[in-house]
Amino acid sequence: MGLKLQQSYHHSVTLKVNEQMGTKRGYTFIQANRAWLPKFLLLWVMVMAFLSTWIYKKMDADNKVRRKEVLSSMCDQRARMLQDQFSVSVNHVHALAILVSTFHYYKDPSAIDQETFAEYTARTAFERPLLSGVAYAERVVHSEREKFERQHGWTIKTMKREPSPIRDEYAPVIFSQETVSYIESLDMMSGEEDRENILRARATGKAVLTSPFRLLGSHHLGVVLTFPVYKSKLPPSPTEQERIEATAGYLGGAFDVESLVENLLGQLAGNQAILVNVYDITNSSDHLIMYGHQNQDGDLALLHESKLDFGDPFRKHQMICRYHQKAPTSWTALTTAFLFFVICLLVGYILYGAAIHIVKVEDDFHEMEELKVRAEAADVAKSQFLATVSHEIRTPMNGILGMLALLLDTDLSSTQRDYAQTAQVCGKALITLINEVLDRAKIEAGKLELETVPFDLRSILDDVLSLFSEKSRNKGVELAVFVSDKVPEMVMGDPGRFRQIITNLVGNSVKFTERGHIFVKVHLAENPKPMEGPKAETCLNGGSDEDALVSGARQFKTLSGYEAADERNSWDSLKHLVADEELRYDASVKMKAADEASQSVTLMVSLEDTGIGIPLIAQDRVFMPFMQADSSTSRNYGGTGIGLSITKCLVELMGGHISFISRPQVGSTFSFTTVFGRCKRASFSDTKKPNAEDLPSGFRGLKAVVVDGKPVRAAVTRYHLKRLGMLVEFANSVKIAASACGKNGSSCGSKTQPDIVLVEKDSWLSGEDGGLSLRTLDRQQNGHVLKSPKMILLATNITNAELEKAKAAGFADTTIMKPLRASMVAACLQQVLGTGKKRQPGRGMLNGSSVLGSLLCGKKILVVDDNMVNRRVAAGALKKFGAAVECAESGKAALKLLQLPHSFDACFMDIQMPEMDGFEATRRIRMMESQANEQMNGGTEEGSIRTGEWHIPILAMTADVIHATYDECLKCGMDGYVSKPFEEENLYLAVAKFFKTKPISDS
Amino acid sequence: MDLVQLQRQLVDYRTSLYHEGFLDEQFTQLQSLQDENNPDFVVEVVSLFFEDSERLLNELSKALEQQVIDFKRMDAQVHQLKGSSSSIGAHRVQKLCIVFRNYCEAQNVEGCLKCLQQVKHEYGIIKTKLESMFQLEQQILNAGGSIPV
């Protein structure tokens, strides 16, 4: 699992890198086109310039259209007005013509003469403001000339005021307005223009116009209007000839066009703004100007033409208008366009700036990203490097240490030995440090794998305690462990790492504690934590309690009586645990069901010491690697400060967390939780317990009295004794114990008489009457010879003098040195009770050798070893315990001896043998057995001698007890191993597993 | 008068053997295996050791004289020697055997030769020492005393 995790971690790292590379490829649009950005900007500016130009043009065009419309409307208006006025004048002349024809021709005699005509026309001149004057010319045929000249008294003259030459007919002016009186008697037909006019007028019967010319009087440009006057009424729709025949004369008037238009324009608004020209366009190739100047400086670009109809179908006129000035520049359009352009320019620039910024930020981001990946990779690499290097250092270091050990075995002078030993100590320290660094690096590199094997938590705690027992004893510090009964015997987890955590914490505590105690407590985290009973209350209670106050010193209800940082381990909380456990049996069935249901068990381990504590300022960084409380710490106490950080990592790997409470000069309490798997019952009985020591079962049912004033300590003692299967009672002092014993001894007889009395040294020394009481006990002992309780003194450290005193006081049996461990207690008790064996034959054999003897007695054992000496030694050892030993010097020989059926009870097998090694031999034996078992099961089910299957316990004998070898042993079907050369205890442990139950079943 | 002195001499001698690293606790174990049922156990085992060791040492010397040296076989033989020496607690011989085996694995002829000499030397010493110890014990027994533990 660990391994998988570690692989997936690696994968995830590489994946991460890849991913980040991937995102790098997946740039945003902006990022992808970063090179184009300036071009985009330029394009934008150009487009916007174009757009604003377009806007300008559009607005300008609108202006022009409006201007043109204004011009055309003005022009048309002028043209219409001119036309109207003109036609009014023409009508008037027409009326005059009718007047002349009526009064001059139809009346006889004529009602009009020059005088009348002049009078009338002068008075009606206001009706004809455009005409400079009117005149009437009579049609005179050449035959009538003389008559006419005579009648009037003057000769007909030409325009040049000369007497007219002879012509077919003449048109002398007979009546004229005063303004044009100078043309009287002039022949109108002598002027080319007038003649043409006259001819056209009499032919059409309508008013006709001449082309413009300079008028005689005013030298203004003007035209002459001519009307025919008929002497008789014309028939309806007369022919041209009829008209000519009927013509009597011609009425003419001169239009002063120039002043006419001048007047007209003067009446209208806006005449300053425009220029007006009037043209006669009868001859389309040569326009004759009637008004205005030919060369004008007005706005030539824009002009408007309006047709003029002066009533003469032959003549065509038009009016052309221009603006006086060129079109003014349109500032509005220009400003609008310019502002639009500027705004767009700014917007473009802002967008460009934003894009540039985005690109920059993204670049930075990617750079950071890359740096981050690199940093992480570097971190992993660092850890891996550390792991590798540490490992590489370890190998030669082992060589150095090995060689130093060898060197120490040679003949050395004392100085040399001293040097070598120093070197070895240093080397060992270095190895420890390297191991720690390696661990730390492994954790960081994610390479640490946790095992999941069943193990016995209690024995590990015992081991760790024994490791530090020497140190703590020298310091006078009490070291104790307490495991709640609810904690399962076997749990699934990593025993090595658990041991490391405990070792680290206990090691730290031992290092920093000079007095008081170090107390490890393990219970289920599900337990309700009884937090009631704060310190003040404890003190109060302590004060009222008889033991709490000893010689005026403040005592706390902790293990040693010293104050602890956290109250959790004090008696107030512990007694809940203990009480709880006693109640537990009532609800055991329910509890068990609940226990089995959950797959894992969460343990709460707390470790309390009464050391120097951790300074408040340093408490934050306790779990940081290489951080010690302060620099003086490493000077005074040594160490690297890496231990706690490793511990924290390990605890977290195990699914728990660690915390601590610490008060300077009072102590620290570290507590952590871990999650272990629960062992299945079935697998539990099956699995070998490689790290679980088997406690002797010989003490079951024994009764013990623990005399201890301190309940916590008493609970710890009871915990160890209970593990041995003993029944334990408490007594607060020796006196109480003595009285209890006495009572029991006398009244209830031997049944409830304690077998063992364990007295805590403090309780013994503090009681002034200790000696006396003990003697009382002694006396009673004498009274009951057969059932004398064994007196045992429990002490953390004891001086020789005290020891002597104790012996004198009656603790002749033994003194058990703390810290307590179940196995050690068992050994001591064996010693105490074993010596009593001879006196009490019924008690059973409790001594180690005796136990072994009982286990091995009468057993037939095969020893397989190619080494003669080894064989002999093994055989000797086994024989000593009463076993019948046979030897085989090779695997082959062993196979021969173990042909089924055989009568061997066990086999000790050397592993390294020529030809066929122990593994191979075992495999073959197992094969043989399984074949036999199959046959037995298939054939005669009840016919076999043995009830069980064939399975001879095979134990490997090996000199190197490394783990791999052990695994190999199990793999090929062995049941266990004993290390060579044989040691009694070792042998016992190995053999006990297989023969434990046999004596019972045999008997 | 001799008996007490002999006994003391034996104890001192044995202590010196432990102290100088010739013997280790395994020899103590061996001694503890000897009881009334098996009074000559130690001498018996030790003589077995002598026999076996001399045979092995001879074979090793021969093997090293060969043109083609069979290191595998030598390794097995040294292993044997190591096993038996550790069984009786001949500490120094055992330690040397470990070094010897390393040379065998490395197929280092010179190292092997050197080691063989050393092993022979150590073996000679332990043999002499043990023999003289047994002699002392014998003397004590002959004088009617018991061997101190």
Side-chain angles (χ1 to χ4, degrees), chain A residues 399-685:
Chain A
I400 292 171
L401 284 178
M403 286 302 127
L404 278 171
L406 283 182
L407 181 67
L408 280 168
D409 285 332
T410 55
D411 275 322
L412 293 175
S413 73
S414 60
T415 328
Q416 284 170 332
R417 182 168 292 275
D418 182 42
Y419 292 162
Q421 272 167 349
T422 312
Q424 199 180 25
V425 168
C426 293
K428 276 179 183 161
L430 183 56
I431 275 279
T432 317
L433 173 62
I434 289 168
N435 283 343
E436 282 182 342
V437 170
L438 179 60
D439 269 350
R440 170 90 212 164
K442 262 187 176 172
I443 291 166
E444 275 181 359
K447 274 190 172 174
L448 195 82
E449 303 154 29
L450 287 182
E451 272 187 303
T452 310
V453 295
F455 71 97
D456 183 359
L457 191 98
R458 289 174 176 81
S459 69
I460 283 188
L461 288 169
D462 281 352
D463 285 355
V464 175
L465 244 58
S466 70
L467 208 66
F468 292 102
S469 59
E470 190 66 33
K471 258 190 198 164
S472 65
R473 209 176 288 155
N474 289 342
K475 283 185 166 184
V477 173
E478 275 202 63
L479 193 58
V481 63
F482 176 85
V483 181
S484 155
D485 282 353
K486 278 188 198 165
V487 176
E489 198 176 334
M490 298 293 281
V491 290
M492 298 287 285
D494 192 328
R497 295 302 172 186
F498 181 71
R499 180 199 302 264
Q500 195 177 358
I501 295 171
I502 299 288
T503 312
N504 264 337
L505 290 176
V506 174
N508 260 355
S509 290
V510 169
K511 209 190 282 180
F512 295 118
T513 307
E514 299 298 333
R515 58 176 174 77
H517 66 268
I518 295 159
F519 181 30
V520 184
K521 190 179 73 173
V522 184
H523 58 86
L524 291 184
E526 289 92 20
N527 270 351
K529 282 174 218 157
M531 287 298 286
E532 75 269 21
K535 199 169 72 75
E537 200 191 321
T538 319
C539 289
L540 271 176
N541 288 351
S544 65
D545 208 301
E546 52 175 330
D547 314 294
L549 262 174
V550 179
S551 63
R554 237 168 40 140
Q555 289 280 305
F556 293 87
K557 285 189 162 186
T558 56
L559 188 77
S560 63
Y562 282 97
E563 188 184 6
D566 189 10
E567 298 303 323
R568 234 175 288 174
N569 279 2
S570 74
W571 172 240
D572 286 320
S573 71
L574 193 63
K575 75 180 169 199
H576 283 92
L577 267 185
V578 175
D580 203 26
E581 272 153 28
E582 271 152 11
L583 284 171
R584 178 193 172 206
Y585 294 105
D586 303 337
S588 65
V589 182
K590 232 194 284 175
M591 286 289 289
K592 202 152 266 173
D595 280 3
E596 298 301 316
S598 63
Q599 286 290 308
S600 61
V601 53
T602 308
L603 297 183
M604 160 72 89
V605 182
S606 54
L607 186 135
E608 173 187 276
D609 69 50
T610 55
I612 58 168
I614 302 164
L616 292 174
I617 45 159
Q619 290 194 358
D620 291 341
R621 43 172 214 260
V622 159
F623 292 118
M624 271 156 64
F626 301 106
M627 286 283 188
Q628 283 188 327
D630 57 69
S631 57
S632 67
T633 310
S634 57
R635 238 180 293 139
N636 294 338
Y637 300 99
T640 53
I642 201 174
L644 276 176
S645 83
I646 292 173
T647 304
K648 185 173 155 62
C649 290
L650 288 175
V651 167
E652 275 160 10
L653 273 177
M654 287 183 173
H657 48 85
I658 188 165
S659 62
F660 68 93
I661 297 172
S662 183
R663 281 156 63 195
Q665 304 314 320
V666 171
S668 314
T669 303
F670 282 83
S671 1
F672 67 91
T673 57
T674 71
V675 181
F676 287 123
R678 213 176 264 284
C679 269
K680 289 265 170 291
R681 280 279 157 212
S683 64
F684 166 51
S685 53

Side-chain angles (χ1 to χ4, degrees), chain A residues 403 405-406 409-411 417 865-881 910 912-914 959 980-984, chain B residues 20-21 25-26 29-30 32-35 38 41 44-45 48-49 51-52 55 75 79-84 86-88 91-92 95 99 101:
Chain A
M403 286 302 127
L406 283 182
D409 285 332
T410 55
D411 275 322
R417 182 168 292 275
D865 197 330
D866 63 322
N867 190 316
M868 185 161 45
V869 180
N870 289 356
R871 213 157 56 216
R872 186 71 193 87
V873 172
L878 291 168
K879 266 179 193 163
K880 192 185 170 204
F881 300 119
D910 185 27
Q912 209 171 18
M913 287 186 293
K980 268 196 308 189
F982 278 165
E983 277 167 19
E984 204 172 294
Chain B
E20 287 162 36
E25 64 273 16
Q26 186 56 33
Q29 292 269 343
L30 207 63
S32 73
L33 291 178
Q34 179 169 302
D35 55 15
N38 219 343
F41 183 70
E44 193 188 327
V45 171
L48 265 176
F49 168 69
E51 269 175 46
D52 198 37
R55 179 179 62 82
D75 185 52
H79 175 66
Q80 286 266 346
L81 187 60
K82 188 192 120 197
S84 44
S86 79
S87 268
I88 68 146
H91 190 63
R92 288 192 174 194
K95 289 279 177 190
V99 184
R101 282 193 76 181

Side-chain angles (χ1 to χ4, degrees), chain A residues 11-153:
Chain A
H11 279 291
S12 72
V13 168
T14 44
L15 266 180
K16 232 190 222 167
V17 173
N18 285 346
E19 265 169 33
Q20 270 148 2
M21 296 316 223
T23 54
K24 229 177 172 185
R25 278 197 293 274
Y27 277 134
T28 57
F29 173 77
I30 295 174
Q31 191 76 329
N33 297 301
R34 52 192 311 171
W36 286 89
L37 285 179
K39 286 175 194 170
F40 276 137
L41 179 69
L42 199 69
L43 188 68
W44 171 266
V45 170
M46 278 162 68
V47 166
M48 287 309 131
F50 178 77
L51 211 61
S52 41
T53 317
W54 179 79
I55 286 172
Y56 172 73
K57 288 239 172 92
K58 178 99 170 65
M59 290 179 80
D60 202 37
D62 281 351
N63 277 349
K64 273 184 185 157
V65 167
R66 214 171 315 127
R67 194 168 137 96
K68 196 172 173 184
E69 275 167 8
V70 169
L71 182 69
S72 61
S73 75
M74 280 168 85
C75 201
D76 286 344
Q77 188 191 9
R78 279 160 178 72
R80 206 165 46 244
M81 284 182 74
L82 183 63
Q83 203 175 300
D84 287 350
Q85 298 222 347
F86 199 86
S87 57
V88 165
S89 298
V90 168
N91 284 346
H92 224 275
V93 173
H94 195 174
L96 208 61
I98 292 167
L99 181 92
V100 169
S101 77
T102 307
F103 291 95
H104 188 61
Y105 291 104
Y106 299 164
K107 286 265 184 202
D108 200 19
S110 168
I112 300 168
D113 55 6
Q114 166 63 29
E115 214 171 315
T116 318
F117 189 84
E119 172 88 23
Y120 178 75
T121 51
R123 287 173 69 179
T124 57
F126 69 94
E127 294 261 31
R128 309 177 297 273
L130 307 180
L131 289 173
S132 51
V134 285
Y136 178 72
E138 199 177 36
R139 182 182 179 207
V140 178
V141 189
H142 185 64
S143 56
E144 293 173 3
R145 179 177 168 175
E146 276 176 59
K147 186 189 165 193
F148 179 79
E149 281 181 347
R150 265 193 327 257
Q151 193 182 337
H152 284 278

